[in-house]
Amino acid sequence: MVWEVLNGIGTIAFALSGVLVAMEERYDLMGVYILGFITAFGGGAVRNLLIGVPVSTLWDQGTLFTVAFLVMTVAFVFPRIVRWTLLRRGVFFDAIGLGAFSVQGALYAYSMGHPISACIAAAALTGTGGGMIRDILAGRKPLFLQKEIYIAWTLIPGIVVGLGWLTGPFELLIIVLIVVALRLCSVYYKWQLPNRAIE
């Protein structure tokens, strides 16, 4: 049940993120669908390749494909629905997808008995993979390469879930909300990790 909820939340959020970016770039309807589907399911495909799960398992998610299609269609017909995102360039929906999918990725790897390193990698790739592909296709600098902290937040579910500390339904929801809140705060307050240039 937890798996399905996280999957649903992440899929809807990333589908809307893809739609918003596509409409900002003035893509046609087909471009909206392509960008939305890739954003919603790209991270799961990358994760599956990493931890040894057949990519073909993605095609077993018929219900989620239908939900994503309906959400993208409604958002395209009624674009004002996705304009209340608080932040531009799909950051709000992307943050929700980051939180839900990073927790889901860590939980997936943990349930398969993989070590914590795999849980961290699965959390990072599931949470950022779809958005990375979306930004590349849209000709944008990927969000995880922006100055504001992004991919580092996936370490939280990767470590906490990977070590088996918090794996209950309510606990996982709290982790999702923490990642979402931290990601939005990092954009709003412009939090950055230390960096250094070679002179």
Side-chain angles (χ1 to χ4, degrees):
M1 186 64 174
V2 176
W3 170 265
E4 294 175 355
V5 170
L6 291 175
N7 216 5
I9 293 173
T11 298
I12 292 173
F14 268 153
L16 287 173
S17 173
V19 169
L20 184 60
V21 171
M23 289 195 296
E24 287 183 347
E25 297 296 331
R26 298 187 179 278
Y27 287 3
D28 61 16
L29 179 59
M30 189 55 65
V32 167
Y33 285 136
I34 291 174
L35 214 57
F37 276 120
I38 286 177
T39 308
F41 298 100
V46 174
R47 175 205 62 214
N48 288 356
L49 285 172
L50 175 74
I51 62 177
V53 177
V55 179
S56 58
T57 57
L58 288 174
W59 306 121
D60 297 331
Q61 305 181 79
T63 301
L64 284 178
F65 276 99
T66 302
V67 170
F69 175 79
L70 292 175
V71 166
M72 289 186 289
T73 302
V74 171
F76 183 82
V77 176
F78 304 102
R80 291 188 178 182
I81 292 178
V82 295
R83 292 188 63 184
W84 56 274
T85 57
L86 303 182
L87 297 162
R88 295 178 301 164
R89 302 175 74 85
V91 174
F92 180 69
F93 293 124
D94 193 88
I96 296 174
L98 178 71
F101 271 171
S102 61
V103 172
Q104 184 223 44
L107 187 62
Y108 197 10
Y110 178 76
S111 66
M112 294 180 66
H114 289 307
I116 185 173
S117 57
C119 294
I120 293 173
L125 290 174
T126 310
T128 64
M132 175 180 63
I133 299 171
R134 172 204 64 210
D135 292 338
I136 291 174
L137 290 179
R140 295 183 171 187
K141 182 179 181 180
L143 280 177
F144 78 96
L145 294 178
Q146 302 285 348
K147 292 182 179 179
E148 296 86 6
I149 303 174
Y150 182 63
I151 197 171
W153 298 128
T154 64
L155 288 172
I156 297 173
I159 294 173
V160 173
V161 175
L163 291 174
W165 289 345
L166 302 173
T167 56
F170 181 73
E171 297 168 335
L172 293 174
L173 177 60
I174 294 298
I175 299 173
V176 171
L177 294 177
I178 289 174
V179 173
V180 172
L182 289 173
R183 171 56 187 158
L184 292 177
C185 285
S186 68
V187 174
Y188 187 80
Y189 294 108
K190 300 186 185 303
W191 293 344
Q192 300 178 19
L193 293 173
N195 63 81
R196 176 172 294 176
I198 298 177
E199 301 188 11

